[in-house]
Amino acid sequence: MFKTIIVVLLIGFLAWAFQTTRPPPPRICGTPGGPAISSPRIKLRDGRHLAYKEHGVPKETAKYKLIFIHGFGGGKKDGSILTLEIAEELGIYLVSFDRPGYGESDPDPKRTMKSTALDIEELADQLGLGSRFYVIGFSMGGQVVWGCLKYIPQRLAGAALIAPVVNYWLPGFPANLSKEAYYEQFPQDQWALRVAHYTPWLTYWWNTQKWFPASSVIAEKPKFSRQDVKIMTKLRAGREKPKEDVKQQGEFESIHRDMMIGFGSWEFDPMDLEKPFRDNEGSVHLWQGDEDGLVPVTLQRYIAGRLPWIHYHEIPEAGHMFSYADGMKEAIFKTFLLGEK
């Protein structure tokens, strides 16, 4: 009898443990009980939908056609990084989109670095952006730009990475360099990324359980610099209406899958990429703040050193959100598209 009770309790505990590691199913936009659809969307070849938002001048008259890729916890409205003034001055059309699982874009349980790059290519084709277009990615969106440079370089007119999140497990990093940078993070982030890398199936549980501190970014207490704090205070004060719920379909298929992919085992190492453009047909730019508490500048410098064709711009006394500082948006677009310094 005692053994039977023990077995039943053990089975019950294992069933409970298994259940707590499983994320709830996503609330798909447009389905019964799911969020409503309020944005234009394209239908991809596999049946998923991708929501997008257009900014700048009409694409029919634009000189430059760009696709903007948002970061962790962001969405298509982050394409507002392009101001109307700079769009009209340079002739820029920019389309931003919700990455799979974010906002109003359908989740992609099979999402990879390659699949997102192919989604971008299909978005460009369905919107008629032409044979070549520009991509610009912020933070975790910068990782997607690496994927574009790997999988669709023939479609790119140029690429820009703004404070791109670094995967500490890239094989091209010297072990001592990546280890030192890794331990500069908050301890809770070290654990959150270990889980995402080594046991991705526990990512949902780790970031929703109450026993141990989860990711500081998910908890909205990231390692921001003094400049970041000032910028975020200003941005929040100027926000006229609540921010769109980019995680409305569920955290697992948006931010948790971002962690699993962003810090997982990649199919390629960006430091092995060959120069994507010949005869000055395009350029690749990377911007990084030297006081970024989320992305170690030492690793970014190393990547830039390994890829001599990268135009590397290190911003002094700047954190992760430097692109929203006064004058930086204009400077980034003019440097990227016109080559101004």
Side-chain angles (χ1 to χ4, degrees):
M1 183 66 178
F2 180 72
K3 289 183 178 180
T4 302
I5 294 175
I6 293 297
V7 170
V8 170
L9 289 175
L10 179 60
I11 292 174
F13 173 77
L14 292 175
W16 170 83
F18 175 71
Q19 194 64 33
T20 59
T21 64
R22 298 184 64 190
R27 298 173 61 244
I28 308 296
C29 285
T31 62
I37 299 169
S38 60
S39 302
R41 307 198 304 176
I42 64 165
K43 187 173 183 178
L44 300 168
R45 61 172 62 91
D46 65 1
R48 289 182 295 113
H49 294 86
L50 213 61
Y52 67 91
K53 182 177 177 62
E54 297 173 295
H55 313 259
V57 304
K59 62 174 173 276
E60 293 77 15
T61 59
K63 184 176 181 180
Y64 303 101
K65 298 172 184 177
L66 282 68
I67 295 180
F68 177 81
I69 309 156
H70 68 79
F72 187 83
K76 58 185 175 294
K77 290 188 177 180
D78 293 344
S80 59
I81 188 174
L82 175 68
T83 63
L84 183 58
E85 292 76 16
I86 194 67
E88 292 178 342
E89 179 183 347
L90 301 184
I92 300 173
Y93 163 87
L94 182 147
V95 60
S96 52
F97 68 100
D98 290 326
R99 293 194 281 112
Y102 278 98
E104 297 176 53
S105 288
D106 292 340
D108 181 5
K110 300 179 180 178
R111 176 154 60 109
T112 63
M113 296 282 285
K114 183 175 183 178
S115 71
T116 306
L118 297 180
D119 286 352
I120 288 172
E121 182 176 38
E122 194 166 354
L123 176 67
D125 288 340
Q126 291 203 35
L127 294 184
L129 302 192
S131 60
R132 299 176 73 221
F133 50 88
Y134 296 84
V135 290
I136 179 168
F138 168 66
S139 191
M140 213 144 218
Q143 292 188 338
V144 179
V145 173
W146 287 126
C148 291
L149 288 167
K150 168 65 177 180
Y151 296 113
I152 57 168
Q154 75 283 358
R155 299 300 307 274
L156 304 182
L161 304 92
I162 303 173
V165 172
V166 172
N167 186 341
Y168 296 89
W169 287 273
L170 293 178
F173 285 134
N176 63 326
L177 184 68
S178 58
K179 182 178 180 180
E180 181 180 346
Y182 180 81
Y183 283 108
E184 290 177 359
Q185 302 177 92
F186 289 150
Q188 66 206 73
D189 292 325
Q190 296 172 28
W191 278 104
L193 298 192
R194 281 193 192 102
V195 170
H197 181 77
Y198 293 109
T199 55
W201 53 277
L202 283 176
T203 301
Y204 167 78
W205 174 80
W206 184 268
N207 289 287
T208 55
Q209 52 77 34
K210 306 301 181 184
W211 299 342
F212 311 105
S215 161
S216 69
V217 180
I218 291 179
E220 298 185 356
K221 297 178 180 179
K223 190 179 180 182
F224 272 164
S225 70
R226 285 174 296 179
Q227 184 202 49
D228 288 329
V229 173
K230 292 179 181 178
I231 289 174
M232 291 304 297
T233 301
K234 185 177 180 180
L235 289 176
R236 291 185 181 117
R239 191 176 292 157
E240 298 179 356
K241 53 186 177 180
K243 187 177 181 180
E244 179 185 31
D245 186 3
V246 296
K247 298 177 288 185
Q248 62 183 353
Q249 298 183 90
E251 292 190 351
F252 181 72
E253 286 296 347
S254 52
I255 58 176
H256 295 160
R257 193 166 293 283
D258 255 8
M259 293 179 68
M260 293 157 58
I261 296 172
F263 300 103
S265 297
W266 288 10
E267 312 97 270
F268 69 97
D269 187 333
M271 288 173 275
D272 292 333
L273 292 176
E274 296 182 356
K275 184 178 180 180
F277 305 112
R278 299 286 183 266
D279 303 321
N280 296 319
E281 293 179 346
S283 59
V284 181
H285 293 257
L286 192 159
W287 280 267
Q288 174 68 33
D290 69 353
E291 294 183 359
D292 192 331
L294 302 179
V295 183
V297 67
T298 54
L299 297 185
Q300 219 72 278
R301 289 170 183 162
Y302 187 83
I303 293 173
R306 285 282 301 272
L307 301 174
W309 41 268
I310 288 273
H311 297 270
Y312 180 62
H313 313 275
E314 188 169 305
I315 313 301
E317 300 180 357
H320 194 66
M321 305 297 295
F322 68 84
S323 56
Y324 290 90
D326 292 342
M328 278 305 304
K329 298 176 184 178
E330 293 79 4
I332 287 173
F333 281 106
K334 288 185 176 182
T335 299
F336 180 35
L337 300 175
L338 305 180
E340 293 185 5
K341 296 183 179 180

